[in-house]
Amino acid sequence: MQPLVFLLDVDNTLLDNDAIKKDWDEQLQVELGPKLTTRFWEMYEQARKERGVVDIPLALSRLREQTPSTELDEQLYQHVRSLFFDYPFYKRLYPYTIETLAHLRTMGLTVIVSDGDLVFQTQKIGSWPTLVNQKWMSF
């Protein structure tokens, strides 16, 4: 008998990605204002269309490159970057995600997959404190 393997996607399966994006938008509105926030989301969508995946680091890099330092200085840029990279993703796990993963693990190999960019998705999944020993990989 073949062992069971459970493949689970991260975004909007294990994590409420829509709520995360809403949180980010609210924080960006406060930090950057409506004009730069709109510009960021445009670059986010452009990078997504080009790469076929969400690529937050690329969108942030483009925002930095294409925005004068009078509107986005280094200190503000680093703060905005931290809104993404220091986000407490584990707080947006759907209810019973950890329990479900633990249960599935008793029945077979549980693999968490993602189609996002390698750097950011690694950060996102790695922030789940109780999943340190969980195996996952990114496609």
Side-chain angles (χ1 to χ4, degrees):
M1 186 165 172
Q2 296 293 324
L4 289 174
V5 177
F6 300 97
L7 300 176
L8 301 170
D9 184 45
V10 175
D11 297 316
N12 287 325
T13 302
L14 302 175
L15 280 173
D16 186 348
N17 211 52
D18 295 332
I20 293 168
K21 194 171 175 185
K22 183 178 181 234
D23 290 345
W24 283 335
D25 186 65
E26 290 171 359
Q27 293 173 326
L28 289 173
Q29 292 288 342
V30 169
E31 299 300 329
L32 297 176
K35 180 182 168 190
L36 282 181
T37 298
T38 298
R39 189 179 304 169
F40 169 77
W41 290 119
E42 289 169 354
M43 292 176 187
Y44 170 97
E45 289 301 329
Q46 181 184 21
R48 185 166 119 174
K49 286 177 185 169
E50 290 171 9
R51 305 242 10 255
V53 297
V54 169
D55 192 331
I56 298 232
L58 180 58
L60 286 169
S61 175
R62 287 181 178 174
L63 180 68
R64 183 181 196 187
E65 292 168 2
Q66 297 176 23
T67 305
S69 62
T70 55
E71 294 179 54
L72 182 64
D73 63 22
E74 183 63 22
Q75 184 177 355
L76 180 55
Y77 171 76
Q78 290 301 327
H79 177 68
V80 167
R81 189 177 185 283
S82 75
L83 296 176
F84 292 93
F85 284 91
D86 296 335
Y87 186 87
F89 292 103
Y90 65 93
K91 291 183 178 181
R92 288 298 188 179
L93 288 168
Y94 283 115
Y96 305 106
T97 295
I98 300 299
E99 296 84 351
T100 301
L101 291 171
H103 179 71
L104 291 174
R105 197 170 187 188
T106 67
M107 298 186 305
L109 177 63
T110 304
V111 180
I112 299 171
V113 297
S114 172
D115 62 356
D117 73 276
L118 183 59
V119 173
F120 193 69
Q121 292 301 89
T122 301
Q123 175 79 18
K124 185 186 288 187
I125 297 166
S127 73
W128 304 351
T130 58
L131 294 180
V132 173
N133 295 318
Q134 191 76 2
K135 293 187 183 221
W136 63 275
M137 55 196 222
S138 180
F139 292 103

